[in-house]
C-alpha cells in the first residue's frame, strides 16, 4: 500500500487516507470554495475504467454512424442498346400527327421523350387548327396509357387468336351472298380517304355488306338542309372574322358544337389590340350555354320557337326594306316582332337592335342555326341568310368535308330493325358505341340477334360487351392514318410509340379481311397501302417536282398537306326548299333539350378522369350530369337543386330520372340535359358517372335532341358536386361583389370606341412603405384578354397534362380540394332570369409583393430574380399558411397522395405513371402547389439559349395554356421588354390587375371585359 | 405562534381550515401546512380520482388514435380545404395556448403585485399552463401536411443550404411557444424543488416502495437543503423568472395573434388583435382554472386550501376580461365600418348574419353576456354558478377562435373561391382528445406533486416573517456568549 | 459509533421561532465564518443577520440574455444578407421589424434558462444528494417546521464545547452533531462500475438500432415520402410495362419527328450528294467558330488540328486520319461530297450524323475549307 502510494500519490485508496486529508472534505462539502467538482475530474478516474469507458462509448458511436448510411435501392441505369438516329436522350422529340375524336380530326404535335409520348399539343402549322386544341383530344394521351385497354382479341371474356377471328369473319363474309344475308360495318364519321377506299372495296367485294357511319355529335340535319337549299351536301366554313353581327340560334358554336377554328375566328373580332372592331353576338337559346355566356345580347327562347323567331325577324327586316325571297314572304307575314316578343317574354328593345344590326350590316351579318335544330329551321335560316347576303361570309376553301354522307337517323333505325329481324349475319363496329348511343333504338337487343358481331376498339365498351368478338386496335398514337376533315387539307397520322398491347391497325384488319387471308396482316400492311394510296391521289394532285419519297417524308414531317384550289362549289339557293320542309309546331309544355356533354361529348370521353373533373363551364358541376331548368320552372315542378325529376318521352319510349339544377338564365319550361354520362361499361373511371339519357334521343323525329316531354318530381335527392358555390341571387349583400371589389372590370364597347379612357379602371394610388424590389433582365408576365376568353377549358386541360395535376375524385372536389392550377371563375349579376355572366381565368398571379411568400415559415416559396413566385416542393412542409394569405386562393394543397387514394390507386398503376411529364415533379402528399408559369419550359428555353450562345428572349417561352388556347386569349412574355406583347397589354388602357388595391402587384394583367351593347354598363 | 388553541379539526385530527375563508389560514403550525399538502400525495388515491383518471385516459386514447390516423393518411382526414386551409387544429391550438396564459399570469404577474391570495392556486395554475401548452403544441406539430418534417421550421444548417424565413409569423410562433413552454417549465420546477425536498425528508425509506419514492424525490429535489445561502439566490431568481414571464406571457399571445393579424385576410388583418387575444387568453385561462379548481376541490376535498375568496377574486378577473373581449368585438365592427373597406365590412356582417352566424352568436352569448352575472356577489361566490359560467366561457372562447379562423377564410376576397367547411370525425376526436390529455396530466399532477407550494404558503403565514433589527456588535463577544442570555 | 471512527461535520441546533434563528444567526456571524442557517421557507432578514449581501443573479440574467439576443440578431443578419439572401413579397433583404419578436423570445429564453441552470448547477452545486446534512434529524425538522443553525467543524474557530454552549445559550431546542457519512463520502461516480458499463452498452445498442431502423427503413415506408422515388418514367431506367422493360423506347420505323427529315441521298449516293448538295450556311464569323469548335472536338483527334492527318492517337492504333489537304479533298471534292463522308462515314471513319447536327456538319465543312485555304492562300487573302 505504501508502495502503491509512492507510485500514484494523487489517488486516495482508503477511507483513512481520505479522512486524513481535510482539503478533500473541504472541497466536497463547501460549495463556496473553488474546485467543487474535482471529484468528477477525469484525472481522478482509475485508468483501466477510463479505457473501458472509452471503448464502450466508441463502440456505440460506431454503431450509430453505421446507422446513418442510406441503403435505399436506386435502381440500375439502362441505356439504349441501339441508339436511334433521331433520339437524343433527355431531349424531347415532336411528331406531327393527327388525333381524332369520333367527329373530329385535329392536327397535333406530339411531344415524346425517349420514344414515349408525354403530351399532345396542337400543330401550329396546320391551316385550319393552327395549333389549337379543345380539351377532349388532349386527354387521349391518358387513354393511350390506360391499363384497362383491351390487350388482346377477346371472344366474350376469353382470349382468342387473331386467326380464329379472321376465319369467323371471313366465312361470314363469304357466305353472305349464297344465303342472301346482310352484313354491316358501323363506324364513326368517316374522315380518312384511305379507310374510305378500303371500306368501298369491301362492300364491292362482298355483296350485302353495308357501311354505316355516324356519331351523335354529327347527327345534325345541317348537311341535309344544305342539300335541300343548295343541292350539294357540302358545308361551307363560316368566315367568322368577317362577321360583324352574329345571331346564334340554339347554337353552342364556341362550346361543345364548335371547332377550334370557330373559336379562333370569332375571338379575332374581340381583340382590343387590332382595329377590326368588335363583332356583336346575339344568342337565342333555351339553355345557358358557353356561347350564351359570351353573348352581348341573350334571348331566352324555347328551342322550338326558333322557327317563329326567324320568321319574326324576316318580317321585321322586310319592314326595314329588305327584299325577302318569294318563298319566305307568305310565311313571314303577320309574324310581327312585337307579338313574338310579348308571347315569349323577350325584351323587344334588344330584338329591335338585332333587326337593325342585321339590316345595317347586310353582307356582314349572319344567322347561325345550332346543330340540334330541325332541318326546317336550317333551311329557313339558309333562306334568310341568303336574303341578308350572308353568303359573302361562306368560305368555299377548305370547308368541312365528309368522305361519305353520315347515316341519317332513319337509316340507323332501319339497321337495328333489320338486325332484330335477323337479316344480318355479321356486324362490325369500328370506333363506335351504338349499344350506348342508340339506346333509343334498343340497338343492344338487336345486336344479340346477330350471329357474328365484331367490335374494333381500344377499350371495352357497351357494344364490345355485347359483341361476339372484341378486337383491340391501335390507339391514335400507335397507328398510321390520313384524314381529310376539311376539303383539300390532308392530315397524316404517324405512330409515336410501338403498340403497347397485342393490338392491330384497324385498317390493317379490314385489309386482311378484304384479302381474306389471315396471314397477310403485318404492321407494314396499312402503312404501305397508305403510302401507295397517297402516291396516286394526293401526290398526283400536288404535281410537285420532288419525288414521292421526299414528298411523303415532307408530309409526315409537317403532318399535313394542304392543296390549294380545292373549292366546294354549290349552286344558288333553291328558294322552294322552304316549302319542302314541314314547319315545326310550337309546343306549350315542357321541352327537353339534349346537349353534348362539355366533358364527355357523346360519351366517347366519359372514361377520362381529367375531363370528368374539369368543371362544367356554366354550372361548374363536375363528375355528373343533371336536368337544368330555370328557377321558375323548378318552382312550378316543386323541385329544388339536387332533388330529382323524372323525364318521359310522350310515347313512354324513354324514361329517365335525374337530379335537378336550377340554372339561371334558362328559358322557362325547358329541361336541358347533357349526353355522354351514365356509361355502363366505360372503365374504372367512367362507369356509372351521371345518368344515361340516350333513351330520350328520339331518332324517329326530325329533331332527335329536342322533344316535348312529361316531367314530374321524383323521390329522393342527389348531391351535385360543384367547384363554385351556387350563386345566391336572393342575398343582396353578395350581389355584384366581383365588380364592387375590383375583381372583374367591365365597360361598354361603343363607349370605348369613342373614348378609350372610359374603359379604364378607376383604381386608387397604391404605394409600398419599403423600397420596391427592382427586377433586371427578364421579368415574366402574362396578359389575359377577358374579351377573347370563351371559357372552353382547353387551358385547364393543357395545364393538367403538362404539370402532372392529379385527379382527386368527386368526393374530394366536394370537400373543396380540386387541384386544377387554372380556374375559370363564373360570376352572375342581374336577376336569376336574365343574368349577365362574366368569366375570368384565375391562376397564380405571381405577385411582386406576393402575400404567400412572406408567411411561409420554411422558405419553400419565394421570388425568383425573373419575377416568378416559385415553389420548392421538397422544402414545403404544408402549413397551408400561404394558401390562407393568398387573396386569389389559387394555391392547391395535396391533402392526400391523390394518385394513391383515388379509386384504389388506379392512377398509381405502372401504366398510368407513364402519362406523367418527366420534366415536372410529381408532388407527394402534404405539399402545396400552384401555377409555375411552366417553369420547366422556361428553364428549357434558357438552356437552349445558352447552348446556342444567345440571350434568352421573352418570346422563347410559350406556356402550355397559351399554346393551346383556341381563342389566343393568353399572352406570355417578358414584361421588362417594352416591345413584347405582354408589356403592350400592360400599357393598354383596358389593362387592370385583379384586386389592384390589395397592392400585391400581380404579374398577370387582365383586359377589361368590353360588352358590345347599346346600353351602357 | 405556538399552537395555543387548535381550530376545530377534521375527523383525522387535521385542522379543517375551510371554515376560515382565508388563503392562508389562521393558527396552523408549519407542520400542519406540510401535513395538509403532502397528505394526498402520500395516501392512496380516492375512488373519485380513479374514475376521473380512467375517463381522462380514455379520452387521451381517442386523441392518440386521431393523431395516428392524421399522421398516416394525411391532413385530408380533416375537413380542411382550400379556402379553409386552417380549421379545427389551429382553433384548438390557439384555444389551448390561451388557456395556458392564466397560469403564468397568476404565478408571475400576481406574484409581482404581491397578491397573497395567489399562493393557494399558483402552483396548480402553473401546472395547467404547462399541460395546456403541451396540448397546444401537438396541433401545429401534426398540422403540417408532412408532419415528419418539423425540423424544417428550425434554423439549423441543413443540406438544402436553406434557412427558415425569419419574417414568417409561424417561425415567430416556433420561438414564442417553445420559449413559453421552457420558461414556464423552469419556473414551475424551480418552485417545486423545496417542496420535493420536504417530501424527500418526510419519506423515511423504510420499505421498498418508500425507498423508491425517496430516491425519486431526492433526484427531483436535486438535494435541496433549505440552506439560507441558497434561499437568498433562489428568491432572487424566482423574482427574475416572474419578471421575465410577465412580458413573455403577453408576447406569446401577441405573436399567436400575429399569425392572423400579419396576413392580409379580411377579418384577420386587424391591429386590435394582440391586446384582444391577450385579454381573451386570460379570460379563457381563468375560466379553465376555475373549472379545474372546482373540479379538483371536489375530487380531493381541498376546500380548505382553495377557499371561496380565491375563486371570487378570479371571477372578478373573468368579469373584467370578458368585458374587455366584448369591447374588442364591438371595436372590430366599428373599425370595419370606419375603414370604409367594402371587403372588410362584408366580412364582419357576414360573421354575424352569414352562414356561420350560429358560431358568432354562441361566442357573443358565452363570452360577453354570461360573465355579466359576476356583477352580483352572490353569483360570484356560488360554486355551481361559477362552474357553469366558466364552462360557458370555455365554449365561447373556443368558438371565438372558430369564428375568426373559419368564417374569415370561408368568405374571402374572390366570391368564386368561397368555400364551406365541414369538420370530420377525426377533427372532433382531436378536439375532445386534447381535453383527455389535459385532464390526465392534471390528475397525475395533483396526485403525485404538491398542489400548493409548501414553502410559499409557509412564508406568507401570519407571523412567518418577523422584523429583524440588526444588533450592534458588542465590544466583548466572549462576554455575550458566556453571559448566556442573548439580548 | 464513536467520534474516533467518525469525523464531525458540524454542530447544529434547532430553533422554533423565526425571531430566534435571526438572533442566533446574528450571533453566530460574529464568531464563525463557516456556518449556515436552514429554514423551511425563505426568511426575510436572515440574509443580513448572517451578513450576506445582495444576490447578484439579476446581472447574470441581463448579460446572458442580451448577449444571446445580439448573437441571434447577427445570425439572422448573416443568413439574410450574406448566406442566403431572399426576396419575400418584395421586402428588403434585411427588415428588422420582422425580427423583433424572435429577438425578444431569445432574450427571455436564454436569460431565464441560463439563470436557473447557473443557480442550481453552479451556485448551489446541485445535484448533490450525499451531503452530510441529508437524512439527519436536523434536516428533517428544518424542511418541515423548525429553523436550524449549523456551525461547521471546518471553521478555524470551531470548538465543539463552546459551540454547543453557544447554541444552548441561544435557546436551541435540540442540538445535534452531524458526522460525515462514510458510505456517502466514498460514493464517487466510478466508471468501472459494471452496472454503468452495462447501461452504456444497452444505450449504445438501442440508439444505434433505433437509428438504423429509423434512418434506413422507417423513413422510406409510408407515410414518409421524400418525392425521391417519382411515379413517372424517365430516361435510362426499367419500366416493366414495356415489352423490353426499358423506359427508353425505339421510335417506330418510318416515322419522322420534327427536324429529322432523312438525308435526301442515301449512303450509296455519294456522287449525287456531291453533285446536288450545296453548303446552305453563310461564311460568317459565328459559323466558322462553330465549325472550329466542332472540328476540334470531333475531327481533330484523327485528322489533327490543322487537318494534316496528324491526329493525337498513337500511330500503332492505325486510326490516324488522312490529311484533308490532299488534292482530292481540297480540290476535287465538293462540300456535298465531304458532307456525305461526314454523314455516312468512309472506310475506317464512322458516320457522324449522331454526333453532329446537319448545320454543325456544314459549319465544319466551312472550317475545313478555311484550313485548306490557309495552306495555299490566294493573293486576295493577303489583304
Amino acid at each position: 500500500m505504501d508502495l502503491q502510494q509512492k507510485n500514484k500519490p494523487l489517488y486516495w485508496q482508503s477511507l483513512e487516507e481520505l479522512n486524513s486529508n481535510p482539503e478533500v472534505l473541504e472541497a466536497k462539502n463547501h460549495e463556496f470554495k473553488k474546485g467543487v467538482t474535482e471529484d468528477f475530474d477525469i484525472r481522478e478516474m482509475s485508468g483501466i475504467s477510463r479505457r473501458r469507458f472509452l471503448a464502450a462509448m466508441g463502440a456505440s458511436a460506431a454503431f450509430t454512424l453505421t446507422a446513418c448510411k442510406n441503403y435505399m435501392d436506386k435502381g440500375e441505369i439502362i441505356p439504349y442498346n441501339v441508339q436511334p438516329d433521331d433520339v437524343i436522350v433527355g431531349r424531347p422529340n415532336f411528331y406531327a400527327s393527327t388525333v381524332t375524336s369520333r367527329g373530329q380530326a385535329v392536327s397535333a404535335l406530339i411531344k415524346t421523350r425517349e420514344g414515349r409520348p408525354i403530351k399532345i399539343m396542337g400543330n401550329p402549322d396546320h391551316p385550319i387548327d393552327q395549333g389549337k386544341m379543345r380539351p377532349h383530344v388532349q386527354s387521349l394521351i391518358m387513354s393511350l396509357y390506360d391499363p384497362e385497354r383491351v390487350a388482346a382479341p377477346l371472344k366474350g371474356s376469353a382470349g382468342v387468336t387473331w386467326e380464329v377471328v379472321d376465319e369467323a369473319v371471313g366465312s361470314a363474309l363469304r357466305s353472305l351472298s349464297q344465303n342472301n344475308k346482310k352484313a354491316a360495318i358501323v363506324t364513326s364519321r368517316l374522315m380518312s380517304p384511305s379507310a374510305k377506299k378500303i371500306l368501298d372495296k369491301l362492300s364491292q367485294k362482298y355483296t350485302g355488306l353495308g357501311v354505316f357511319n355516324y356519331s351523335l355529335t354529327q347527327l345534325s340535319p345541317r348537311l341535309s338542309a344544305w342539300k335541300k337549299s343548295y343541292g350539294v351536301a357540302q358545308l361551307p366554313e363560316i368566315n367568322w372574322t368577317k362577321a360583324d353581327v352574329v345571331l346564334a340560334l340554339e347554337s353552342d358554336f364556341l362550346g361543345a358544337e364548335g371547332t377550334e377554328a370557330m373559336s379562333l375566328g370569332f375571338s379575332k373580332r374581340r381583340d382590343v389590340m387590332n382595329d377590326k372592331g368588335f363583332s356583336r353576338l346575339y344568342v337565342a337559346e333555351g339553355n345557358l350555354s358557353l356561347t350564351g355566356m359570351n353573348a352581348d345580347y341573350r334571348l331566352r327562347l324555347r328551342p322550338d320557337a326558333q322557327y317563329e323567331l326567324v320568321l319574326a325577324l324576316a318580317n321585321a327586316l322586310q319592314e326595314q326594306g329588305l327584299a325577302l325571297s318569294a318563298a319566305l314572304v307568305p310565311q313571314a307575314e303577320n309574324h310581327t316582332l312585337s307579338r313574338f316578343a310579348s308571347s315569349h317574354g323577350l325584351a323587344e328593345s334588344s330584338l329591335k337592335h338585332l333587326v337593325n344590326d342585321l339590316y345595317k350590316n347586310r353582307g356582314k351579318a349572319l344567322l347561325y342555326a345550332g346543330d340540334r335544330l330541325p332541318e326546317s329551321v336550317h333551311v329557313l335560316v339558309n333562306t334568310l341568310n341568303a336574303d341578308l347576303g350572308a353568303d359573302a361570309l361562306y368560305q368555299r376553301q377548305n370547308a368541312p368535308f365528309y368522305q361519305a354522307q353520315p347515316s341519317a337517323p332513319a337509316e340507323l333505325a332501319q339497321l337495328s330493325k333489320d338486325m332484330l329481324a335477323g337479316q344480318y349475319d355479321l356486324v362490325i363496329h369500328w370506333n363506335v358505341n351504338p349499344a350506348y348511343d342508340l339506346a333509343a333504338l334498343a340497338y343492344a337487343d338487336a345486336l344479340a340477334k346477330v350471329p357474328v358481331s365484331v367490335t374494333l376498339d381500344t377499350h371495352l365498351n357497351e357494344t364490345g360487351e355485347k359483341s361476339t368478338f372484341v378486337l383491340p386496335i391501335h390507339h391514335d398514337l400507335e397507328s398510321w392514318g390520313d384524314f381529310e376533315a376539311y376539303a383539300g387539307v390532308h392530315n397524316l397520322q404517324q405512330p409515336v410509340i410501338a403498340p403497347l398491347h397485342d393490338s392491330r391497325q384497324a385498317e390493317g384488319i379490314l385489309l386482311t379481311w378484304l384479302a381474306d387471308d389471315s396471314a397477310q396482316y403485318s404492321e407494314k400492311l396499312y402503312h404501305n397501302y397508305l403510302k401507295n394510296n397517297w402516291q396516286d391521289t394526293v401526290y398526283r394532285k400536288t404535281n410537285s417536282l420532288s419525288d414521292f419519297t421526299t414528298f411523303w417524308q415532307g408530309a409526315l414531317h409537317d403532318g399535313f398537306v394542304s392543296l390549294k384550289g380545292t373549292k366546294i362549289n354549290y349552286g344558288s339557293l333553291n328558294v322552294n326548299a322552304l316549302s319542302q320542309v314541314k314547319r315545326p309546331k310550337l309546343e306549350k309544355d315542357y321541352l327537353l333539350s339534349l346537349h353534348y356533354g362539355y366533358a364527355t361529348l357523346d360519351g366517347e370521353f366519359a372514361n377520362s378522369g381529367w375531363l370528368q373533373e374539369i368543371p362544367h363551364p356554366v354550372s361548374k358541376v363536375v363528375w355528373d350530369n343533371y336536368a337544368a331548368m330555370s328557377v321558375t320552372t323548378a318552382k312550378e315542378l316543386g323541385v329544388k337543386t339536387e332533388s330529382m325529376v323524372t323525364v318521359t318521352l310522350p310515347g313512354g319510349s324513354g324514361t329517365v330520372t335525374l337530379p335537378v339544377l336550377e340554372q339561371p338564365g334558362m328559358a322557362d319550361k325547358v329541361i336541358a340535359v347533357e349526353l355522354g354520362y351514365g356509361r355502363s361499361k366505360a372503365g374504372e373511371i367512367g362507369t356509372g358517372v351521371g345518368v344515361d339519357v340516350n333513351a330520350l334521343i328520339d331518332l324517329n323525329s326530325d329533331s332527335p335532341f329536342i322533344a316535348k316531354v312529361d316531367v314530374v318530381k321524383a323521390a329522393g335527392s342527389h348531391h351535385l358536386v360543384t367547384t363554385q358555390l351556387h350563386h345566391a341571387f336572393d342575398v343582396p349583400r353578395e350581389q355584384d361583389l366581383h365588380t364592387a371589389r375590383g375583381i372583374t372590370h367591365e365597360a361598354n364597347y361603343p363607349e370605348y370606341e369613342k373614348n378609350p379612357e372610359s374603359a379604364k379602371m378607376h383604381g386608387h394610388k397604391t404605394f409600398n412603405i419599403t423600397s420596391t424590389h427592382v427586377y433586371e433582365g427578364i421579368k415574366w408576365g402574362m396578359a389575359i384578354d377577358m374579351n377573347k376568353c370563351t371559357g372552353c377549358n382547353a387551358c385547364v386541360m393543357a395545364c393538367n397534362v403538362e404539370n402532372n395535376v392529379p385527379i382527386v375524385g368527386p368526393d374530394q372536389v366536394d370537400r373543396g380540394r380540386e387541384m386544377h392550377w387554372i380556374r375559370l371563375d363564373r360570376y352572375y349579376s342581374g336577376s336569376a332570369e336574365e343574368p349577365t355572366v362574366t368569366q375570368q381565368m384565375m391562376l397564380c398571379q405571381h405577385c411582386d409583393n406576393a402575400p404567400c411568400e412572406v408567411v411561409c415559415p420554411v422558405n419553400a416559396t419565394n421570388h425568383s430574380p425573373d419575377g416568378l413566385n416559385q415553389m420548392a416542393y421538397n422544402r414545403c412542409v404544408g402549413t397551408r399558411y400561404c394558401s390562407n394569405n393568398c387573396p386569389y386562393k389559387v394555391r392547391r394543397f395535396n391533402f392526400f397522395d391523390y394518385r394513391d387514394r383515388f379509386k384504389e390507386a388506379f392512377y398509381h398503376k405502372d401504366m398510368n405513371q407513364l402519362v406523367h411529364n418527366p420534366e415536372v415533379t410529381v408532388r407527394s402528399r402534404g405539399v402545396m402547389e400552384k401555377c409555375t408559369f411552366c417553369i420547366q419550359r422556361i428553364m428549357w428555353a434558357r438552356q437552349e439559349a445558352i447552348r446556342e450562345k444567345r440571350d434568352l428572349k421573352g418570346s422563347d417561352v410559350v406556356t402550355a395554356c397559351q399554346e393551346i388556347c383556341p381563342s389566343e386569349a393568353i399572352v406570355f412574355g417578358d414584361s421588362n421588354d417594352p416591345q413584347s406583347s405582354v408589356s403592350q397589354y400592360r400599357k393598354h388602357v383596358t389593362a387592370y390587375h385583379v384586386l389592384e388595391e390589395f397592392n400585391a402587384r400581380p404579374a398577370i394583367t387582365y383586359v377589361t371585359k368590353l360588352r358590345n351593347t347599346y346600353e351602357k354598363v | 405562534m405556538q399552537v395555543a388553541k387548535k381550530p376545530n379539526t377534521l375527523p383525522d385530527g387535521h385542522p379543517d381550515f375551510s371554515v376560515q375563508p382565508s388563503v392562508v389560514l389562521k393558527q396552523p403550525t408549519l407542520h400542519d401546512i406540510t401535513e395538509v399538502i403532502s397528505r394526498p400525495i402520500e395516501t392512496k388515491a380516492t375512488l373519485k380520482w380513479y374514475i376521473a383518471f380512467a375517463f381522462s385516459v380514455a379520452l387521451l386514447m381517442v386523441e392518440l388514435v386521431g393523431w395516428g390516423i392524421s399522421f398516416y393518411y394525411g391532413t385530408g382526414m380533416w375537413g380542411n380545404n382550400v379556402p379553409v386551409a386552417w380549421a379545427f387544429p389551429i382553433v384548438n391550438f390557439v384555444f389551448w395556448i390561451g388557456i395556458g396564459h392564466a397560469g403564468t399570469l397568476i404565478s408571475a404577474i400576481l406574484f409581482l403585485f404581491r397578491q397573497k391570495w395567489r399562493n393557494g392556486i399558483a402552483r396548480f395554475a402553473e401546472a395547467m399552463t404547462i399541460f395546456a401548452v403541451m396540448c397546444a403544441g401537438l396541433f401545429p406539430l401534426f398540422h403540417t401536411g408532412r408532419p415528419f418534417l418539423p425540423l424544417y421550421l428550425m434554423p439549423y444548417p441543413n443540406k438544402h443550404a436553406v434557412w427558415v424565413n425569419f419574417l414568417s409569423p409561424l417561425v415567430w410562433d416556433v420561438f414564442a411557444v417553445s420559449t413559453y413552454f421552457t420558461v414556464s417549465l423552469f419556473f414551475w420546477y424551480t418552485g417545486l424543488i423545496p417542496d420535493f425536498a420536504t417530501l424527500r425528508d418526510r419519506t423515511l425509506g423504510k420499505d421498498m416502495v418508500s425507498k423508491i419514492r425517496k430516491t425519486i424525490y431526492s433526484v427531483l429535489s436535486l438535494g435541496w437543503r433549505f440552506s439560507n445561502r441558497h434561499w437568498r439566490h433562489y428568491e432572487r431568481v424566482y423574482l427574475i423568472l416572474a419578471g421575465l414571464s410577465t412580458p413573455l406571457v403577453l408576447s406569446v399571445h401577441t405573436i399567436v395573434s400575429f399569425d392572423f393579424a400579419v396576413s392580409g385576410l379580411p377579418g384577420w388583418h386587424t391591429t386590435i388583435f394582440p391586446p384582444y387575444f391577450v385579454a381573451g387568453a386570460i379570460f379563457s385561462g381563468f375560466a379553465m382554472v376555475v373549472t379545474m379548481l372546482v373540479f379538483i376541490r371536489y375530487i380531493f376535498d381541498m376546500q380548505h386550501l382553495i377557499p371561496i375568496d380565491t375563486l371570487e377574486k378570479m371571477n372578478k378577473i373573468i368579469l373584467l376580461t370578458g368585458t374587455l373581449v366584448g369591447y374588442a368585438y364591438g371595436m372590430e365592427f366599428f373599425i370595419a365600418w370606419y375603414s370604409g373597406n367594402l371587403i372588410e365590412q362584408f366580412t364582419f356582417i357576414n360573421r354575424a348574419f352569414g352562414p356561420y352566424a350560429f358560431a358568432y352568436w354562441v361566442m357573443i352569448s358565452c363570452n360577453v353576456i354570461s360573465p355579466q352575472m359576476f356583477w352580483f356577489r352572490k353569483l360570484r361566490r356560488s360554486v355551481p354558478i361559477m362552474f357553469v359560467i366558466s364552462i360557458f366561457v370555455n365554449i365561447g372562447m373556443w368558438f371565438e377562435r372558430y369564428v375568426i379562423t373559419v368564417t374569415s377564410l370561408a368568405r374571402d376576397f374572390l366570391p368564386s373561391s368561397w368555400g364551406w367547411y365541414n369538420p370530420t370525425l377525426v377533427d372532433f376526436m382531436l378536439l375532445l382528445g386534447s381535453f383527455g390529455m389535459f385532464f390526465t396530466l392534471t390528475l397525475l399532477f395533483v396526485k403525485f406533486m404538491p398542489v400548493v407550494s409548501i414553502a410559499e404558503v409557509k412564508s406568507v403565514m401570519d407571523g412567518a416573517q418577523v422584523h429583524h433589527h440588526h444588533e450592534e456588535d458588542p465590544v466583548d463577544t466572549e462576554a455575550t456568549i458566556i453571559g448566556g442570555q442573548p439580548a | 459509533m464513536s467520534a474516533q471512527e467518525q469525523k464531525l461535520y458540524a454542530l447544529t441546533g434547532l430553533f422554533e421561532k423565526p425571531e430566534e434563528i435571526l438572533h442566533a444567526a446574528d450571533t453566530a456571524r460574529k464568531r464563525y465564518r463557516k456556518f449556515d442557517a436552514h429554514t423551511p421557507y425563505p426568511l426575510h432578514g436572515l440574509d443580513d443577520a448572517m451578513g450576506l449581501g445582495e444576490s447578484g443573479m439579476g446581472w447574470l440574467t441581463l448579460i446572458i440574455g442580451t448577449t444571446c439576443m445580439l448573437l441571434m440578431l447577427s445570425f439572422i443578419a448573416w443568413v439574410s444578407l450574406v448566406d442566403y439572401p431572399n426576396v419575400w413579397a418584395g421586402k428588403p433583404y434585411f427588415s428588422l421589424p420582422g425580427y423583433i419578436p424572435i429577438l425578444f423570445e431569445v432574450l427571455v429564453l436564454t436569460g431565464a434558462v441560463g439563470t436557473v441552470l447557473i443557480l442550481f448547477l453552479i451556485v448551489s452545486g446541485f445535484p448533490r444528494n450525499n451531503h452530510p446534512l441529508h437524512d439527519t434529524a436536523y434536516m428533517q425538522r428544518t424542511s418541515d417546521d423548525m429553523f436550524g443553525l449549523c456551525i461547521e467543524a471546518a471553521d478555524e474557530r470551531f470548538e465543539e464545547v463552546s459551540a454547543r454552549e453557544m447554541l444552548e445559550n441561544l435557546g436551541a431546542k435540540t442540538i445535534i452533531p452531524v458526522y460525515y457519512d462514510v458510505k456517502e463520502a466514498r460514493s464517487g461516480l466510478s466508471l468501472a462500475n459494471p452496472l454503468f458499463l452495462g447501461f452504456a452498452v444497452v444505450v449504445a445498442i438501442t440508439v444505434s438500432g433505433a437509428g438504423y431502423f429509423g434512418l434506413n427503413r422507417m423513413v422510406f415506408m409510408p407515410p414518409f415520402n421524400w418525392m425521391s422515388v417519382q411515379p413517372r418514367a424517365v430516361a435510362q431506367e426499367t419500366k416493366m410495362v414495356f415489352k423490353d422493360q426499358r423506359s427508353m423506347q425505339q421510335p417506330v420505323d418510318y416515322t419522322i419527328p420534327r427536324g429529322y427529315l432523312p438525308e435526301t441521298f442515301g449512303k450509296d449516293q455519294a456522287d449525287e450528294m456531291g453533285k446536288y448538295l450545296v453548303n446552305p450556311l453563310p461564311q460568317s464569323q459565328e459559323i466558322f467558330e462553330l465549325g472550329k469548335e466542332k472540328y476540334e472536338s470531333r475531327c481533330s483527334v484523327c485528322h489533327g488540328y490543322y487537318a494534316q492527318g496528324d491526329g493525337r492517337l498513337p500511330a500503332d492504333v492505325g486510326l490516324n486520319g488522312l490529311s484533308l489537304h490532299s488534292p482530292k479533298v481540297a480540290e476535287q471534292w465538293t462540300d456535298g461530297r465531304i458532307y456525305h463522308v461526314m454523314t455516312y462515314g468512309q472506310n475506317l471513319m464512322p458516320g457522324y450524323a449522331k454526333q453532329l447536327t446537319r448545320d454543325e456538319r456544314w459549319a465544319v465543312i466551312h472550317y475545313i475549307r478555311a484550313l485548306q485555304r490557309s495552306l495555299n492562300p490566294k493573293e486576295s487573302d493577303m489583304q
Side-chain angles (χ1 to χ4, degrees), chain B residues 6 20 59 64-65 69 74 105 117 170 174 214-215 308 319 327 334 337 372 374 376 434 439 459 462 486:
Chain B
K6 275 201 175 295
Q20 278 108 341
L59 270 183
L64 295 184
V65 173
I69 293 174
L105 185 91
W117 58 272
L170 288 183
V174 171
K214 194 172 179 68
T215 325
I308 203 77
L319 175 56
Y327 167 79
F334 171 74
W337 164 77
Q372 302 308 323
F374 284 149
F376 310 101
S434 62
F439 292 148
S459 70
D462 312 348

Side-chain angles (χ1 to χ4, degrees), chain A residues 770, chain B residues 167, chain C residues 72-82 85-86 88 91-99 103:
Chain A
T770 60
Chain B
L167 294 179
Chain C
M72 189 66 191
L73 179 58
S74 37
F75 168 68
I76 294 178
W78 174 74
V79 163
S80 45
L81 290 174
V82 183
N86 245 329
W88 295 298
K91 293 200 179 346
Y93 289 115
F94 182 84
S95 44
L96 187 61
Y99 306 144
L103 296 179

Side-chain angles (χ1 to χ4, degrees), chain A residues 703-775:
Chain A
S703 66
F705 298 102
I706 298 167
K708 132 181 199 301
V709 285
D710 310 326
V711 185
V712 288
K713 186 179 195 303
S717 76
H718 173 79
H719 181 51
L720 292 171
V721 179
T722 61
T723 59
Q724 219 174 310
L725 299 184
H726 299 299
H727 184 83
F729 282 93
D730 49 359
V731 185
R733 72 169 175 282
E734 292 187 8
Q735 300 313 316
D736 298 334
L737 289 180
H738 53 289
T739 43
R741 292 181 170 188
I743 296 163
T744 67
H745 181 231
E746 308 194 355
N748 177 260
Y749 180 71
E751 281 293 301
Y752 163 80
E753 255 186 328
K754 282 194 227 78
N755 161 26
E757 285 303 314
S758 66
K760 198 169 181 55
M761 189 189 217
H762 305 297
H764 293 59
K765 176 100 188 61
T766 59
F767 59 90
N768 288 358
I769 56 170
T770 60
S771 60
T772 39
H773 192 82
V774 186
Y775 295 91

